[in-house]
Structures are given as structure tokens and as C-alpha cells.
mmCIF file of all heavy atoms in Angstrom:
data_model
loop_
_atom_site.group_PDB
_atom_site.id
_atom_site.type_symbol
_atom_site.label_atom_id
_atom_site.label_comp_id
_atom_site.label_asym_id
_atom_site.label_seq_id
_atom_site.Cartn_x
_atom_site.Cartn_y
_atom_site.Cartn_z
ATOM 1 N N GLU K 100 0.836 -1.207 0.000
ATOM 2 C CA GLU K 100 0.000 0.000 0.000
ATOM 3 C C GLU K 100 0.867 1.252 0.000
ATOM 4 O O GLU K 100 0.591 2.217 -0.721
ATOM 5 C CB GLU K 100 -0.909 -0.021 1.227
ATOM 6 C CG GLU K 100 -1.872 1.146 1.317
ATOM 7 C CD GLU K 100 -2.746 1.084 2.548
ATOM 8 O OE1 GLU K 100 -2.837 -0.002 3.164
ATOM 9 O OE2 GLU K 100 -3.342 2.118 2.902
ATOM 10 N N LEU K 101 1.925 1.239 0.803
ATOM 11 C CA LEU K 101 2.849 2.374 0.815
ATOM 12 C C LEU K 101 3.515 2.550 -0.544
ATOM 13 O O LEU K 101 3.744 3.677 -1.002
ATOM 14 C CB LEU K 101 3.914 2.167 1.898
ATOM 15 C CG LEU K 101 3.437 2.338 3.342
ATOM 16 C CD1 LEU K 101 4.512 1.887 4.313
ATOM 17 C CD2 LEU K 101 3.064 3.783 3.621
ATOM 18 N N ARG K 102 3.829 1.434 -1.190
ATOM 19 C CA ARG K 102 4.448 1.493 -2.517
ATOM 20 C C ARG K 102 3.513 2.184 -3.506
ATOM 21 O O ARG K 102 3.949 2.964 -4.360
ATOM 22 C CB ARG K 102 4.803 0.077 -2.965
ATOM 23 C CG ARG K 102 5.936 -0.001 -3.969
ATOM 24 C CD ARG K 102 6.414 -1.434 -4.147
ATOM 25 N NE ARG K 102 7.081 -1.934 -2.957
ATOM 26 C CZ ARG K 102 6.640 -2.923 -2.196
ATOM 27 N NH1 ARG K 102 5.509 -3.539 -2.495
ATOM 28 N NH2 ARG K 102 7.304 -3.307 -1.128
ATOM 29 N N ARG K 103 2.216 1.894 -3.394
ATOM 30 C CA ARG K 103 1.238 2.534 -4.282
ATOM 31 C C ARG K 103 1.126 4.028 -3.984
ATOM 32 O O ARG K 103 0.746 4.810 -4.849
ATOM 33 C CB ARG K 103 -0.129 1.866 -4.119
ATOM 34 C CG ARG K 103 -0.203 0.466 -4.706
ATOM 35 C CD ARG K 103 -1.644 -0.014 -4.822
ATOM 36 N NE ARG K 103 -2.294 -0.159 -3.528
ATOM 37 C CZ ARG K 103 -2.240 -1.263 -2.783
ATOM 38 N NH1 ARG K 103 -1.554 -2.327 -3.222
ATOM 39 N NH2 ARG K 103 -2.876 -1.329 -1.634
ATOM 40 N N MET K 104 1.445 4.421 -2.749
ATOM 41 C CA MET K 104 1.472 5.840 -2.393
ATOM 42 C C MET K 104 2.726 6.526 -2.928
ATOM 43 O O MET K 104 2.852 7.750 -2.827
ATOM 44 C CB MET K 104 1.452 6.005 -0.867
ATOM 45 C CG MET K 104 0.183 5.596 -0.181
ATOM 46 S SD MET K 104 0.348 5.912 1.620
ATOM 47 C CE MET K 104 -1.146 5.159 2.243
ATOM 48 N N GLY K 105 3.667 5.739 -3.430
ATOM 49 C CA GLY K 105 4.927 6.301 -3.889
ATOM 50 C C GLY K 105 5.953 6.445 -2.791
ATOM 51 O O GLY K 105 6.880 7.257 -2.894
ATOM 52 N N ILE K 106 5.812 5.649 -1.723
ATOM 53 C CA ILE K 106 6.721 5.736 -0.578
ATOM 54 C C ILE K 106 7.635 4.518 -0.547
ATOM 55 O O ILE K 106 7.167 3.379 -0.599
ATOM 56 C CB ILE K 106 5.923 5.817 0.746
ATOM 57 C CG1 ILE K 106 5.069 7.080 0.753
ATOM 58 C CG2 ILE K 106 6.855 5.797 1.947
ATOM 59 C CD1 ILE K 106 4.118 7.170 1.929
ATOM 60 N N LYS K 107 8.926 4.778 -0.461
ATOM 61 C CA LYS K 107 9.920 3.716 -0.363
ATOM 62 C C LYS K 107 10.117 3.338 1.101
ATOM 63 O O LYS K 107 10.219 4.204 1.968
ATOM 64 C CB LYS K 107 11.248 4.185 -0.968
ATOM 65 C CG LYS K 107 12.370 3.154 -0.871
ATOM 66 C CD LYS K 107 13.605 3.596 -1.645
ATOM 67 C CE LYS K 107 14.256 4.804 -1.040
ATOM 68 N NZ LYS K 107 15.529 5.172 -1.683
ATOM 69 N N THR K 108 10.164 2.029 1.384
ATOM 70 C CA THR K 108 10.354 1.556 2.752
ATOM 71 C C THR K 108 11.737 0.934 2.913
ATOM 72 O O THR K 108 12.179 0.152 2.076
ATOM 73 C CB THR K 108 9.281 0.521 3.138
ATOM 74 O OG1 THR K 108 9.254 -0.522 2.153
ATOM 75 C CG2 THR K 108 7.916 1.164 3.204
ATOM 76 N N ILE K 109 12.411 1.324 3.994
ATOM 77 C CA ILE K 109 13.753 0.806 4.290
ATOM 78 C C ILE K 109 13.756 0.288 5.727
ATOM 79 O O ILE K 109 13.412 1.018 6.660
ATOM 80 C CB ILE K 109 14.828 1.893 4.131
ATOM 81 C CG1 ILE K 109 14.792 2.495 2.729
ATOM 82 C CG2 ILE K 109 16.212 1.326 4.425
ATOM 83 C CD1 ILE K 109 15.744 3.662 2.533
ATOM 84 N N MET K 110 14.126 -0.967 5.898
ATOM 85 C CA MET K 110 14.200 -1.567 7.227
ATOM 86 C C MET K 110 15.620 -1.447 7.782
ATOM 87 O O MET K 110 16.586 -1.768 7.095
ATOM 88 C CB MET K 110 13.815 -3.050 7.149
ATOM 89 C CG MET K 110 13.873 -3.780 8.485
ATOM 90 S SD MET K 110 13.570 -5.560 8.294
ATOM 91 C CE MET K 110 15.171 -6.111 7.669
ATOM 92 N N CYS K 111 15.738 -0.952 9.009
ATOM 93 C CA CYS K 111 17.029 -0.873 9.694
ATOM 94 C C CYS K 111 17.053 -1.909 10.813
ATOM 95 O O CYS K 111 16.102 -2.019 11.588
ATOM 96 C CB CYS K 111 17.250 0.512 10.282
ATOM 97 S SG CYS K 111 17.723 1.754 9.072
ATOM 98 N N THR K 112 18.120 -2.661 10.888
ATOM 99 C CA THR K 112 18.226 -3.681 11.918
ATOM 100 C C THR K 112 19.680 -3.909 12.291
ATOM 101 O O THR K 112 20.589 -3.717 11.477
ATOM 102 C CB THR K 112 17.605 -5.011 11.434
ATOM 103 O OG1 THR K 112 17.812 -6.022 12.424
ATOM 104 C CG2 THR K 112 18.213 -5.466 10.132
ATOM 105 N N GLY K 113 19.900 -4.304 13.520
ATOM 106 C CA GLY K 113 21.247 -4.661 13.956
ATOM 107 C C GLY K 113 21.620 -6.077 13.588
ATOM 108 O O GLY K 113 22.749 -6.516 13.852
ATOM 109 N N ASP K 114 20.681 -6.820 12.971
ATOM 110 C CA ASP K 114 20.950 -8.199 12.585
ATOM 111 C C ASP K 114 22.000 -8.277 11.479
ATOM 112 O O ASP K 114 22.268 -7.304 10.765
ATOM 113 C CB ASP K 114 19.664 -8.874 12.086
ATOM 114 C CG ASP K 114 18.677 -9.132 13.220
ATOM 115 O OD1 ASP K 114 19.138 -9.269 14.365
ATOM 116 O OD2 ASP K 114 17.470 -9.185 12.945
ATOM 117 N N ASN K 115 22.555 -9.473 11.319
ATOM 118 C CA ASN K 115 23.522 -9.678 10.245
ATOM 119 C C ASN K 115 22.800 -9.639 8.897
ATOM 120 O O ASN K 115 21.575 -9.780 8.816
ATOM 121 C CB ASN K 115 24.264 -11.006 10.437
ATOM 122 C CG ASN K 115 23.309 -12.187 10.381
ATOM 123 O OD1 ASN K 115 22.729 -12.479 9.339
ATOM 124 N ND2 ASN K 115 23.130 -12.868 11.500
ATOM 125 N N PRO K 116 23.528 -9.448 7.799
ATOM 126 C CA PRO K 116 22.901 -9.290 6.483
ATOM 127 C C PRO K 116 22.001 -10.451 6.081
ATOM 128 O O PRO K 116 20.973 -10.235 5.429
ATOM 129 C CB PRO K 116 24.105 -9.162 5.537
ATOM 130 C CG PRO K 116 25.192 -8.596 6.393
ATOM 131 C CD PRO K 116 24.990 -9.218 7.744
ATOM 132 N N LEU K 117 22.358 -11.663 6.456
ATOM 133 C CA LEU K 117 21.558 -12.819 6.049
ATOM 134 C C LEU K 117 20.196 -12.806 6.738
ATOM 135 O O LEU K 117 19.147 -12.997 6.098
ATOM 136 C CB LEU K 117 22.307 -14.107 6.378
ATOM 137 C CG LEU K 117 21.786 -15.395 5.728
ATOM 138 C CD1 LEU K 117 21.731 -15.255 4.225
ATOM 139 C CD2 LEU K 117 22.658 -16.580 6.129
ATOM 140 N N THR K 118 20.194 -12.570 8.054
ATOM 141 C CA THR K 118 18.925 -12.474 8.790
ATOM 142 C C THR K 118 18.100 -11.303 8.273
ATOM 143 O O THR K 118 16.888 -11.413 8.070
ATOM 144 C CB THR K 118 19.185 -12.296 10.297
ATOM 145 O OG1 THR K 118 19.935 -13.398 10.783
ATOM 146 C CG2 THR K 118 17.885 -12.184 11.072
ATOM 147 N N ALA K 119 18.754 -10.167 8.062
ATOM 148 C CA ALA K 119 18.059 -8.969 7.587
ATOM 149 C C ALA K 119 17.408 -9.214 6.232
ATOM 150 O O ALA K 119 16.261 -8.816 5.992
ATOM 151 C CB ALA K 119 19.034 -7.799 7.502
ATOM 152 N N ALA K 120 18.124 -9.884 5.335
ATOM 153 C CA ALA K 120 17.588 -10.158 3.999
ATOM 154 C C ALA K 120 16.366 -11.068 4.081
ATOM 155 O O ALA K 120 15.387 -10.883 3.349
ATOM 156 C CB ALA K 120 18.663 -10.787 3.123
ATOM 157 N N THR K 121 16.418 -12.056 4.968
ATOM 158 C CA THR K 121 15.292 -12.981 5.118
ATOM 159 C C THR K 121 14.057 -12.250 5.625
ATOM 160 O O THR K 121 12.949 -12.417 5.086
ATOM 161 C CB THR K 121 15.657 -14.117 6.089
ATOM 162 O OG1 THR K 121 16.813 -14.800 5.604
ATOM 163 C CG2 THR K 121 14.510 -15.100 6.223
ATOM 164 N N ILE K 122 14.220 -11.423 6.665
ATOM 165 C CA ILE K 122 13.097 -10.670 7.219
ATOM 166 C C ILE K 122 12.573 -9.666 6.197
ATOM 167 O O ILE K 122 11.356 -9.500 6.033
ATOM 168 C CB ILE K 122 13.510 -9.947 8.516
ATOM 169 C CG1 ILE K 122 13.868 -10.968 9.600
ATOM 170 C CG2 ILE K 122 12.403 -9.027 8.992
ATOM 171 C CD1 ILE K 122 12.702 -11.775 10.115
ATOM 172 N N ALA K 123 13.481 -8.987 5.497
ATOM 173 C CA ALA K 123 13.073 -7.995 4.500
ATOM 174 C C ALA K 123 12.253 -8.640 3.388
ATOM 175 O O ALA K 123 11.247 -8.083 2.934
ATOM 176 C CB ALA K 123 14.305 -7.304 3.912
#
């Protein structure tokens, strides 16, 4: 829905890249 509004979403996390990629 945010994408349709033209809004980009960025997730910030202290997790390692592999965990972050899976959650993202």
C-alpha cells in the first residue's frame, strides 16, 4: 500500500545481512 502511495520503505536492523535479507 505504501508502494502505491509512492513511498519507499527501508528496514534498519542490527541483525547480520543474512537475517536482515530474510526478514526484509
Side-chain angles (χ1 to χ4, degrees):
E100 183 180 343
L101 287 171
R102 205 168 291 115
R103 288 194 296 273
M104 292 181 187
I106 298 173
K107 178 172 67 174
T108 53
I109 303 175
M110 179 186 78
C111 283
T112 176
D114 289 334
N115 62 67
L117 194 56
T118 301
T121 302
I122 295 292

